[in-house]
Amino acid sequence: MASEHHRQVQFVLLLTLGLNLLVVVIKAGVGFMTGSLSLLADALHSVTDSVNNILGLFTNRLAAPGPDRDHPYGHHKYEAIGALGIAAFLGITCFEIMRGAISRLITPGDPLKINSIDLWLLLIVLGINIYVAFYERSVGKRLGSQILIADAYHTMSDIWITLVVLAGLIGVRFFNLQWLDVVLALPVAVLVLRSSWIVLKSNLPWLVDEIAIAPEAIHQVVTSVPGVINCHDIASRGLLGRQIFVDMHLVVDATDVATAHQITEAVENRLAERYAPIRVTIHVEPPNYQSPQITYGSDTQNL
């Protein structure tokens, strides 16, 4: 199943890579012909789309979820690293947009020359970007692939940039508003920063081992299993829907190893039913053992 998952992710990345390269060629060609700096900056943004696809192919190959000798906890963080790389590209794109806009405000260039064919080509580009964004997001959510979802957010920012550039070029073409191309480029930077923040926010918890499940929720599930007296020192990390790791100390009503083992297996199965995929590590303790803390930190709770 895992190998099929990654084959599907790779197919989507290869398809979108081809489409993004086509977009780069169209934008760069129209940009050079018209002299539009904002369109050339937009083409640069689309170059980062292609780079992101290549990065995604690389990280997806490394992110096979199965553990091995050198990576006993699996390879999931490679996808998160790839997604953060996309966030970095978004930040670079934002800088390029702002620099280009400020440069045009300080030293205006030659008047833009726009014709109807240029506008139609940009409409085709817009259609390609919309298809890529919604296709990647749909498949990414279905497969639970953060690299596809992050890349879809990046492509969504490309859609907004193309819309703004298209609006500016329409103003230039029909109303000779040469300044509109520059003024509309500034809010695009805000949209790019927003996309970058969304990608960062969704992937940093995995990399910094932020809590994945509230310990109180785990405690409630575990103590509902017959034979469990209590549990404490609960810790969790990972991301729901991708992979969760849980550690805990478990107090069981058992005096022999076989019974304690059966209870711990029941606990693992109950947690898997609720939070799969999940890996649980349990330290079993005797019935008379007590601990005052449900989890780590200063906000301990009596059990």
Side-chain angles (χ1 to χ4, degrees), residues 14-268:
L14 283 171
L15 176 61
T16 55
L17 174 60
L19 293 173
N20 284 330
L21 289 174
L22 176 61
V23 165
V24 170
V25 172
I26 295 175
K27 286 182 179 179
V30 176
F32 280 115
M33 288 187 298
T34 61
S36 170
L37 291 178
S38 63
L39 186 53
L40 289 175
D42 192 12
L44 175 64
H45 183 269
S46 295
V47 168
T48 66
D49 283 331
S50 301
V51 174
N52 293 336
N53 292 141
I54 296 172
L55 176 64
L57 287 167
F58 175 73
T59 56
N60 179 67
R61 184 175 294 275
L62 291 176
D68 55 33
R69 186 179 186 278
D70 295 326
H71 305 87
Y73 293 99
H75 303 71
H76 297 276
K77 289 188 178 181
Y78 280 113
E79 280 203 26
I81 293 172
L84 293 183
I86 290 176
F89 281 121
L90 288 169
I92 294 171
T93 303
C94 176
F95 172 77
E96 290 298 327
I97 293 171
M98 295 183 69
R99 187 179 69 170
I102 293 173
S103 176
R104 284 280 299 275
L105 287 173
I106 296 174
T107 55
D110 296 332
L112 303 184
K113 301 176 181 178
I114 310 297
N115 57 46
S116 298
I117 296 177
D118 299 328
L119 298 179
W120 278 110
L121 286 173
L122 288 180
L123 285 174
I124 293 173
V125 165
L126 183 62
I128 293 174
N129 284 336
I130 292 173
Y131 170 77
V132 169
F134 283 92
Y135 175 65
E136 268 196 310
R137 187 173 66 175
S138 174
V139 177
K141 288 184 176 181
R142 177 168 59 84
L143 298 179
S145 172
Q146 287 299 115
I147 196 70
L148 289 182
I149 295 173
D151 199 35
Y153 272 118
H154 190 197
T155 306
M156 285 297 294
S157 70
D158 205 27
I159 291 173
W160 288 110
I161 291 174
T162 302
L163 281 171
V164 170
V165 170
L166 182 59
L169 295 183
I170 289 174
V172 173
R173 172 72 174 84
F174 296 102
F175 305 102
N176 196 31
L177 301 175
Q178 297 288 330
W179 54 267
L180 192 59
D181 187 42
V182 178
V183 172
L184 292 179
L186 295 176
V188 171
V190 177
L191 295 174
V192 175
L193 282 177
R194 180 177 179 275
S195 297
S196 180
W197 167 246
I198 290 173
V199 173
L200 283 171
K201 186 171 66 172
S202 62
N203 284 277
L204 278 178
W206 177 275
L207 293 175
V208 300
D209 289 336
E210 184 177 305
I211 182 175
I213 307 170
E216 294 80 10
I218 294 175
H219 184 270
Q220 183 178 4
V221 172
V222 172
T223 53
S224 68
V225 176
V228 172
I229 297 176
N230 221 321
C231 61
H232 58 94
D233 289 344
I234 301 169
S236 66
R237 61 186 177 89
L239 287 176
L240 284 172
R242 292 173 66 183
Q243 180 67 58
I244 299 294
F245 298 92
V246 173
D247 303 309
M248 72 177 70
H249 289 210
L250 187 67
V251 183
V252 298
D253 186 13
T255 56
D256 60 279
V257 174
T259 302
H261 175 70
Q262 291 176 356
I263 296 172
T264 57
E265 281 198 333
V267 168
E268 292 172 357

